[in-house]
Amino acid sequence: MTKEFKFGKGFGLFLLFLILLNSGSMFAQQNQLITVIGDSLVGKMVNGESTREVYGNVIITQGDVIINCDKAIHFISRNEAELIGNVVAKKDTLTIKTPRGFYFGNQSKTRSNAGVYLDDKKVILTADSGEYYFNEDRAFFESKVRLYDTTTTLTSNELTYFQQQNRAVAIGDVMIIDSDNQILADTLEHFRNTKITFAFSNVRLTNLKNNSEIYSEHLEDYRNRGYSLIDVKPLFIQVDTSYVTQEDGSEEIELDTLFIKSQKMEAYRDSTQRFFAIDSVSILKSEFASKNDLTIFYRSEDKIITKKINLSAKQPVLWQQTSQLTGDSITIYLKDNNINQLDVDGTSFMLSQNENYIERYDQTSSEQIKIFFADNKISRAEFFGNVYSIYFMYDGETKNGLTKSNSAETTVMFENNEVTEVKLYKNPASEYYPEQQVNGNEKSYLLPRFVVLQNKPTKEEMYNLLNELR
């Protein structure tokens, strides 16, 4: 008896626990059940499942979710409903519209494959199909996805929109566009409130105002700060047109593309409109090329500065047609997208190879150089501070020895990129070496620090990288 009594008491407690547990579960389910009302109702058994078809002015509710439609099929045991005709789902400021879809009460989720329209008073989101999780305030839309807000349009193959976070994650053929820029990428994350965008893989940033593009594998854009960072294989391209004068004096339009390659790029779209190319920078535009560690482009001033990043770094080097120029810091002044003036500061060296006699290099070293251009060709160069130079002489096209000179200041005049006149100022000294002494011994007439650098950027290099990134 004692044993049975103990068993009965324990069994009774177990039953009481089950009853309480079941009551809680039933209460939770009861709280999640959807209600469906309408003008008329027909009850049916379909495949052994109890259903109710509700017609006319149908209203489905669950908590603060309210759905209106023309007809609904209520699957009672599943706590689900098929929604047919003029479906409008609302929660707070959110409205979802679709011709037909489903509502899953246990998940508090709606889904449609018949075209979806979402408006939460912040963005408008459309797609061929989509789901919305009301408990999570999260949308997942697929196929021909398009998101609009007041300043931005985003399209993609897939998009997850986190309404409370004002965050969108887009995947596949992504494009985001505003009045200034267009970004293409495989994947993109966009924060609407802060206007911060992260783009990944096959990234292409197009500035719609200056016809420039940046290709990369990663981009961060902070629109409120007017700042962009591109830091994986960035390649900047700007296509320009120029007029080229032919031998008969006529002019023809020629495409003139600017390429800039570096390890990292930064753009500041504030009042200074600065663009930075950082680390292993290569620049190529027509007959102009450059290698350096740091390039800063001040768009509003039409000015480019290249310089060493520290004392032990290599000097920037510039090539213009057959001329090569090095210095600690080089400032390029532009006019109508063409070079108008070059200022070289620090230990400077300039050499120019003769087009007819390629073993002959005119050379000048100094502490500072100013070079002036006309019609994209050097017209005049002014050298300052401990100027040493070697210039080969010609009588027409015939070789005619060379002069070695030094002075405090020197001015060299050019015509068709060839030296026509050299003027020495302040304690000048000059020596002439006749042709019979020079001919065949050109390598004997080199200034200290003379070196012809072979790492000039090429179009092939730039187009190979472009094809890789496209």
Side-chain angles (χ1 to χ4, degrees):
M1 291 294 293
T2 304
K3 186 176 181 181
E4 290 180 354
F5 173 77
K6 286 182 178 177
F7 176 79
K9 184 178 180 181
F11 184 70
L13 289 172
F14 179 66
L15 284 176
L16 177 61
F17 174 75
L18 285 178
I19 291 169
L20 291 172
L21 180 65
N22 195 43
S23 298
S25 175
M26 288 177 64
F27 176 78
Q29 290 180 9
Q30 186 69 29
N31 194 42
Q32 293 176 352
L33 292 178
I34 63 175
T35 61
V36 184
I37 60 174
D39 293 342
S40 61
L41 182 149
V42 177
K44 291 183 179 179
M45 291 294 292
V46 178
N47 297 325
E49 183 177 8
S50 177
T51 65
R52 294 187 298 179
E53 293 187 0
V54 184
Y55 297 87
N57 299 311
V58 179
I59 302 175
I60 299 111
T61 56
Q62 185 185 40
D64 51 1
V65 178
I66 301 173
I67 301 172
N68 297 89
C69 60
D70 296 337
K71 174 185 175 183
I73 303 174
H74 186 191
F75 302 91
I76 300 169
S77 60
R78 284 191 265 159
N79 197 27
E80 297 174 3
E82 183 177 355
L83 317 170
I84 303 166
N86 299 309
V87 181
V88 179
K90 291 188 177 182
K91 178 187 175 185
D92 301 325
T93 59
L94 174 77
T95 300
I96 298 173
K97 296 180 180 179
T98 182
R100 61 188 303 153
F102 292 87
Y103 184 72
F104 305 89
N106 292 342
Q107 298 171 274
S108 190
K109 180 184 78 172
T110 186
R111 185 181 71 197
S112 172
N113 296 322
V116 192
Y117 171 94
L118 180 152
D119 183 356
D120 66 353
K121 306 302 181 187
K122 295 183 291 188
V123 304
I124 293 175
L125 183 58
T126 64
D128 286 346
S129 65
E131 299 175 339
Y132 192 86
Y133 297 81
F134 288 94
N135 287 343
E136 303 173 36
D137 294 316
R138 175 170 63 91
F140 175 72
F141 279 29
E142 292 181 286
S143 181
K144 298 180 182 178
V145 181
R146 188 173 289 268
L147 182 148
Y148 308 90
D149 67 14
T150 52
T151 59
T152 304
T153 300
L154 188 155
T155 59
S156 64
N157 295 336
E158 297 179 5
L159 184 138
T160 302
Y161 174 57
F162 302 87
Q163 190 200 8
Q164 296 301 319
Q165 301 173 27
N166 289 292
R167 178 166 71 103
V169 178
I171 298 174
D173 296 326
V174 184
M175 180 176 74
I176 184 167
I177 186 169
D178 58 30
S179 58
D180 296 332
N181 297 295
Q182 172 184 283
I183 299 174
L184 304 177
D186 287 349
T187 305
L188 185 143
E189 185 174 16
H190 177 64
F191 294 83
R192 179 183 170 274
N193 276 4
T194 56
K195 300 189 186 308
I196 296 174
T197 300
F198 301 101
F200 306 90
S201 183
N202 294 314
V203 179
R204 181 177 172 182
L205 168 63
T206 302
N207 187 308
L208 303 174
K209 294 187 174 178
N210 63 19
N211 199 31
S212 67
E213 295 179 327
I214 300 178
Y215 294 81
S216 179
E217 291 295 320
H218 177 245
L219 174 145
E220 298 178 13
D221 184 66
Y222 302 81
R223 195 187 313 163
N224 285 346
R225 291 169 49 196
Y227 171 76
S228 296
L229 167 69
I230 309 101
D231 59 355
V232 180
K233 293 184 179 178
L235 177 65
F236 174 96
I237 294 178
Q238 186 172 37
V239 178
D240 195 8
T241 55
S242 61
Y243 288 91
V244 178
T245 304
Q246 305 299 311
E247 292 183 355
D248 61 359
S250 63
E251 290 187 333
E252 288 188 0
I253 296 176
E254 185 176 270
L255 289 178
D256 192 7
T257 303
L258 167 65
F259 296 91
I260 302 176
K261 184 184 78 168
S262 64
Q263 295 296 314
K264 184 169 76 173
M265 295 182 184
E266 295 177 301
Y268 294 85
R269 299 182 295 278
D270 53 18
S271 57
T272 59
Q273 293 287 307
R274 292 165 294 160
F275 172 82
F276 288 72
I278 303 165
D279 195 358
S280 306
V281 184
S282 296
I283 303 175
L284 181 65
K285 184 177 188 295
S286 188
E287 297 293 333
F288 172 84
S290 172
K291 284 271 192 179
N292 59 81
D293 293 326
L294 174 62
T295 296
I296 308 171
F297 180 21
Y298 297 88
R299 292 183 186 277
S300 57
E301 301 177 39
D302 276 347
K303 182 173 71 176
I304 299 173
I305 296 176
T306 68
K307 57 185 178 181
K308 297 166 58 173
I309 55 174
N310 55 56
L311 292 175
S312 60
K314 292 181 180 179
Q315 289 185 311
V317 53
L318 270 62
W319 295 269
Q320 174 71 22
Q321 295 180 318
T322 58
S323 298
Q324 175 186 296
L325 181 65
T326 54
D328 291 344
S329 173
I330 302 174
T331 302
I332 305 167
Y333 297 93
L334 303 174
K335 184 177 182 180
D336 298 329
N337 286 330
N338 292 316
I339 300 175
N340 188 50
Q341 181 180 334
L342 280 176
D343 288 354
V344 186
D345 294 302
T347 307
S348 309
F349 198 99
M350 177 177 171
L351 63 86
S352 297
Q353 184 182 34
N354 188 280
E355 292 182 352
N356 298 319
Y357 306 103
I358 60 174
E359 71 282 4
R360 299 193 171 204
Y361 291 90
D362 296 326
Q363 311 148 48
T364 306
S365 65
S366 63
E367 296 174 0
Q368 185 184 48
I369 309 174
K370 289 183 180 293
I371 303 175
F372 303 90
F373 290 78
D375 298 327
N376 289 322
K377 296 179 181 178
I378 299 175
S379 61
R380 184 174 86 255
E382 297 176 354
F383 301 86
F384 305 92
N386 298 319
V387 184
Y388 293 88
S389 61
I390 293 175
Y391 285 94
F392 288 85
M393 311 296 288
Y394 303 92
D395 186 5
E397 297 294 329
T398 305
K399 296 181 286 186
N400 188 21
L402 64 80
T403 60
K404 292 179 67 175
S405 60
N406 64 276
S407 61
E409 296 179 8
T410 297
T411 297
V412 181
M413 306 301 294
F414 291 81
E415 187 172 323
N416 293 324
N417 291 317
E418 293 185 1
V419 175
T420 57
E421 187 178 5
V422 178
K423 299 178 181 179
L424 309 178
Y425 303 96
K426 298 180 181 178
N427 303 317
S430 180
E431 295 177 345
Y432 173 73
Y433 296 81
E435 180 59 31
Q436 58 269 26
Q437 185 177 339
V438 174
N439 192 34
N441 297 312
E442 285 83 358
K443 290 184 179 178
S444 301
Y445 300 95
L446 301 176
L447 292 175
R449 294 189 287 109
F450 174 93
V451 60
V452 179
L453 298 169
Q454 303 297 329
N455 59 340
K456 184 177 178 180
T458 64
K459 281 188 178 180
E460 182 181 13
E461 170 192 351
M462 297 298 181
Y463 279 111
N464 284 342
L465 178 57
L466 177 61
N467 292 332
E468 180 183 336
L469 293 170
R470 272 178 171 169

